[in-house]
Amino acid sequence: MFRLLFIFLFLFSIHQNSIAQDSLFRKVDVHFGMTRMDFFTGVQYSMQVHQWQPFVMLETGINRTFFQNRIYPRVSLGSAYFFLKKGKYKFGPQVSYSYSVLRINKNTSHYHQWNEVYLGSRIEFGSKFRFTNVISGGWMNERFYNQLTNKRSGVNALGFYFNFGICYVW
Amino acid sequence: MRWGFTLILEFVMSGKILFILLLILFSCSKKKDYENIKVFGHAATGLEMLNSVYHDNSKEAVEFALSMEGCDGVEIDLHVSEDGEIWLYHDENLESETNGDGCIANLNSGYLSTLNYKTFAKEKLVALKDLNFTLFNGKELILDLRHHNSCVAGIVPIEKMISKLQSLGLHLQQDYKVTCIISYQNWIQPFLEAGFSVYYSIYSVAEFHQKNLLYPELEGYIVKNKDFTKDDIREIKNNSKKVYIFDIRSPKGIRSALRKHPDALITDDIRATLIEKY
């Protein structure tokens, strides 16, 4: 997972150097979101290159982490494509992949893991400081250690993700 | 604005935020004396829970709940159909959750077997006989027996329910424990006489004392978390009766229920309950 993240950031930095500076914006956003499993809060770093906006996002589950003292991290990679720009509004589709992990039963060494692939939309409003909103849905898979079969198994379901946030552009 | 920003920056740089976060995360040490409290899934994986992958009372939900490490069994809701088959379903009317309509007590199995839930996965309505009972080995199967037929405002025939459960051998089961939850007083004695382990649903300690005098053979009681204090639970347990708490969904509710030290929690959020327990 971390190797994937490293490759993504590496390609990100190469791409950043190879394009004209006047068409590039960097963005950091802080947001509050929700999936089927928990509420999440975290930060997103992205770069807007023409219409494309690839991003990497780090979040943590609010209920699990802050109310149940169990760290529940979530890492996402993806990209938005702003095909619609009108004044201070930007809108476009967004695709993302997320991975999250949680240790539910501390009597065992097993973890529940979630993989999510979502398609949705992203809206931004503002100039230097922007209000952001993401609404997306798609495939969610939960993998866990099955105590009936004594091996890992998985279940697929329809998942969703939405968030509201504030981003700073420079 | 600049002054405020500088203040925030200084606050972050001084490490206070990190300190506060670490304090929140590690300050509360969890009690470790919940080992003897069993965890059961309410309606398999919880009623109307967003984080539940499958619809409550579906075969998929039962199997999913039983497969989670730390889950000691499931509670399921049962209705008897006109032809004497027992079906897993929570609500009184089929139209609220399935593509069918009417009450199970007035319908036959031919029709009921064609129905599915109104979900993306379209889980089928399942008959009790179609569950894979070997999955329950070493665990507990809790049967919440529904006595009310809302379509005719009457009580469903008890003999149909008892004879079907007996034909499945559930009253003699040795590989796993079978518990019947009853909330209609007239059904207590017949189920006790038929050899079932019976729990009665109560709403106050006064009701417990009344029922305990009338039916000393009852094995235990089912109570709502908000209606009973820790002392109430202790009082029931001191009378050598078991107590299962239900109606628990939030982490706060789960914690409060665990602190009352019942024999089991029938929870709507198995994951959150297992986190609190372990």
Side-chain angles (χ1 to χ4, degrees), chain B residues 81-273:
Chain B
S81 61
E82 193 170 33
D83 56 350
E85 195 60 75
I86 293 178
W87 294 85
L88 279 69
Y89 189 66
H90 182 268
D91 293 359
E92 300 227 326
N93 297 296
L94 287 164
E95 50 267 38
S96 62
E97 295 291 322
T98 71
N99 59 344
D101 51 8
C103 294
I104 290 177
N106 299 343
L107 300 163
N108 59 46
S109 299
Y111 172 72
L112 292 165
S113 61
T114 63
L115 303 183
N116 58 263
Y117 289 102
K118 289 187 255 185
T119 56
F120 182 74
K122 295 194 187 313
E123 301 92 341
K124 287 184 76 67
L125 197 71
V126 64
L128 182 64
K129 69 176 171 64
D130 294 329
L131 291 184
N132 183 356
F133 289 107
T134 58
L135 301 181
F136 288 97
N137 288 349
K139 300 190 185 302
E140 186 165 338
L141 170 60
I142 303 174
L143 311 173
D144 189 348
L145 308 172
R146 299 307 179 98
H147 61 272
H148 192 238
N149 179 353
S150 64
C151 294
V152 294
I155 303 296
V156 300
I158 186 172
E159 58 278 5
K160 278 187 189 174
M161 188 74 93
I162 289 178
S163 65
K164 187 64 194 180
L165 291 173
Q166 284 180 327
S167 75
L168 292 169
L170 296 179
H171 60 311
L172 303 169
Q173 194 47 246
Q174 299 292 316
D175 298 329
Y176 52 92
K177 187 173 188 299
V178 178
T179 300
C180 295
I181 297 178
I182 287 172
S183 47
Y184 179 53
Q185 190 175 327
N186 292 356
W187 277 23
I188 297 176
Q189 201 56 44
F191 271 92
L192 286 170
E193 285 168 6
F196 288 97
S197 158
V198 179
Y199 282 56
Y200 190 67
S201 188
I202 53 170
Y203 297 90
S204 67
V205 183
E207 193 182 0
F208 158 69
H209 287 298
Q210 186 196 13
K211 293 290 178 299
N212 200 33
L213 277 176
L214 284 170
Y215 304 102
E217 306 94 338
L218 281 173
E219 187 175 309
Y221 292 86
I222 304 292
V223 303
K224 269 192 179 181
N225 190 32
K226 68 177 176 66
D227 295 338
F228 286 77
T229 63
K230 188 177 181 177
D231 290 337
D232 296 336
I233 303 292
R234 191 183 297 131
E235 193 174 337
I236 298 171
K237 289 178 78 174
N238 285 344
N239 282 276
S240 305
K241 299 295 173 190
K242 290 191 173 177
V243 189
Y244 290 1
I245 295 182
F246 79 107
D247 198 23
I248 34 181
R249 304 174 78 86
S250 66
K252 192 180 166 190
I254 295 162
R255 268 196 296 278
S256 87
L258 282 169
R259 285 184 195 128
K260 292 173 189 172
H261 286 273
D263 292 284
L265 301 189
I266 300 176
T267 177
D268 283 297
D269 193 338
I270 299 177
R271 294 184 190 90
T273 307

Side-chain angles (χ1 to χ4, degrees), chain A residues 34 36-37 64-70 104-108 110 142 144-147 155 157, chain B residues 24-25 28 30 35 50-54 64 66-71 139 255 271-272 275-276 278:
Chain A
M34 185 186 174
R36 280 182 75 156
M37 292 298 146
R64 305 292 178 245
T65 308
F66 299 108
F67 296 106
Q68 296 198 282
N69 298 342
R70 197 65 58 93
I104 287 178
N105 186 337
K106 276 197 171 174
N107 272 6
T108 72
H110 306 126
E142 179 174 356
F144 61 100
Y145 187 83
N146 186 325
Q147 67 173 356
V155 289
Chain B
I24 291 168
L25 281 174
C28 310
K30 215 162 272 182
E35 282 293 324
L50 192 60
N51 69 15
S52 176
V53 179
Y54 298 112
F64 181 63
L66 293 173
S67 67
M68 290 182 77
E69 283 183 302
C71 179
K139 300 190 185 302
R255 268 196 296 278
R271 294 184 190 90
I275 288 172
E276 289 298 330
Y278 297 106

